[in-house]
Amino acid sequence: MGSRRKVIFVKQILLRSDPFSFLRHRKTAFTLIELLLVIVLMAIFAGVALPNLPKQISAIQIEQTAKNMSYLMRYVQSLAVVHQREYRFCFSSDHLKYWIEEGPAETSGVPQASSDKDDRFQKIKGEKGKIFSVPSGIAADIENDVIGFYPDGSIDRIRIVLQNKDQKKIIISSQERRGQVDVFSPAE
């Protein structure tokens, strides 16, 4: 008698327009196994990605510092040309802070070597006149603490080497092209 019930059940299913509708009436929720599988996969992906996170943050930080410095240097160069006065990009003695100073308006337009102790220069006012900081974990190596920007668009020839604790280096330089500030990574 049990096999007869099975036959009748199968006939009823086959006579329906959708013979698999009994499978679709299941509740639409995730099972515990499915949820656990997703959690395990997410933990595996996090375990692979997290060890590289500090290196990525450090690399982004040094790149952003180089972009900010080079942008500010180009800005100072344009100020010198537009206002027809000498400007300086100054570093603290430990090279962890930097700022912009402007010279008097009556410059001759002839580039002269800037000295660290020149009282003619004053910090500029406004948002760009603040003291900027090099982020911790990044060292700036520069030969001279003062970079001169002149009314004719010329710049003192400089090379700033930024290096993070992972030994990644980025160079900001005005030595390669006259009057240009270039940013590049040295070939290793």
Side-chain angles (χ1 to χ4, degrees), residues 92-110:
S92 62
S93 58
D94 60 2
H95 300 154
L96 296 179
K97 297 191 182 309
Y98 55 97
W99 60 92
I100 303 169
E101 294 179 349
E102 66 181 345
E106 64 275 349
T107 58
S108 64
V110 178

Side-chain angles (χ1 to χ4, degrees), residues 1 16 23-24 55 62 67 69 79 95-96 102 115 147 160 164 176 181:
M1 192 85 172
R16 291 182 188 167
L23 295 174
R24 290 191 191 91
K55 285 183 182 179
I62 192 171
K67 285 179 187 177
M69 271 189 189
L79 283 177
H95 300 154
L96 296 179
E102 66 181 345
S115 70
I147 304 165
I160 302 170
N164 65 8
E176 283 68 33
V181 176

Side-chain angles (χ1 to χ4, degrees), residues 77 111 152-155 157 174-180:
Q77 183 181 23
D152 65 354
S154 62
I155 307 170
R157 297 176 66 84
S174 67
Q175 293 179 350
E176 283 68 33
R177 297 186 294 166
R178 178 179 157 88
Q180 297 288 317

Side-chain angles (χ1 to χ4, degrees), residues 12-168:
Q12 287 176 346
I13 290 174
L14 293 175
L15 292 176
R16 291 182 188 167
S17 63
D18 186 8
F20 297 103
S21 64
F22 71 96
L23 295 174
R24 290 191 191 91
H25 290 288
R26 203 174 107 183
K27 288 185 179 179
T28 56
F30 295 110
T31 65
L32 182 60
I33 301 283
E34 291 170 331
L35 289 175
L36 287 175
L37 182 65
V38 169
I39 291 171
V40 167
L41 288 174
M42 288 175 60
I44 290 171
F45 291 140
V48 169
L50 284 178
N52 294 328
L53 191 59
K55 285 183 182 179
Q56 292 299 322
I57 290 173
S58 180
I60 290 169
Q61 201 173 32
I62 192 171
E63 289 169 6
Q64 192 62 44
T65 300
K67 285 179 187 177
N68 290 344
M69 271 189 189
S70 64
Y71 165 77
L72 199 57
M73 291 171 77
R74 290 178 187 124
Y75 173 74
V76 173
Q77 183 181 23
S78 67
L79 283 177
V81 172
V82 169
H83 295 291
Q84 286 297 296
R85 62 172 60 179
E86 208 174 312
Y87 281 82
R88 299 192 312 185
F89 194 88
C90 303
F91 283 90
S92 62
S93 58
D94 60 2
H95 300 154
L96 296 179
K97 297 191 182 309
Y98 55 97
W99 60 92
I100 303 169
E101 294 179 349
E102 66 181 345
E106 64 275 349
T107 58
S108 64
V110 178
Q112 299 173 358
S114 298
S115 70
D116 295 348
K117 307 265 192 259
D118 196 339
D119 294 334
R120 301 176 305 138
F121 288 85
Q122 299 175 3
K123 277 183 52 184
I124 67 169
K125 294 173 179 50
E127 180 184 332
K128 303 289 188 225
K130 67 181 185 178
I131 295 178
F132 299 89
S133 296
V134 175
S136 63
I138 297 177
D141 183 27
I142 182 169
E143 298 157 2
N144 191 355
D145 292 344
V146 176
I147 304 165
F149 293 82
Y150 305 101
D152 65 354
S154 62
I155 307 170
D156 287 345
R157 297 176 66 84
I158 56 96
R159 180 171 265 218
I160 302 170
V161 179
L162 299 175
Q163 183 172 345
N164 65 8
K165 54 191 164 201
D166 297 326
Q167 305 305 316
K168 178 177 181 176

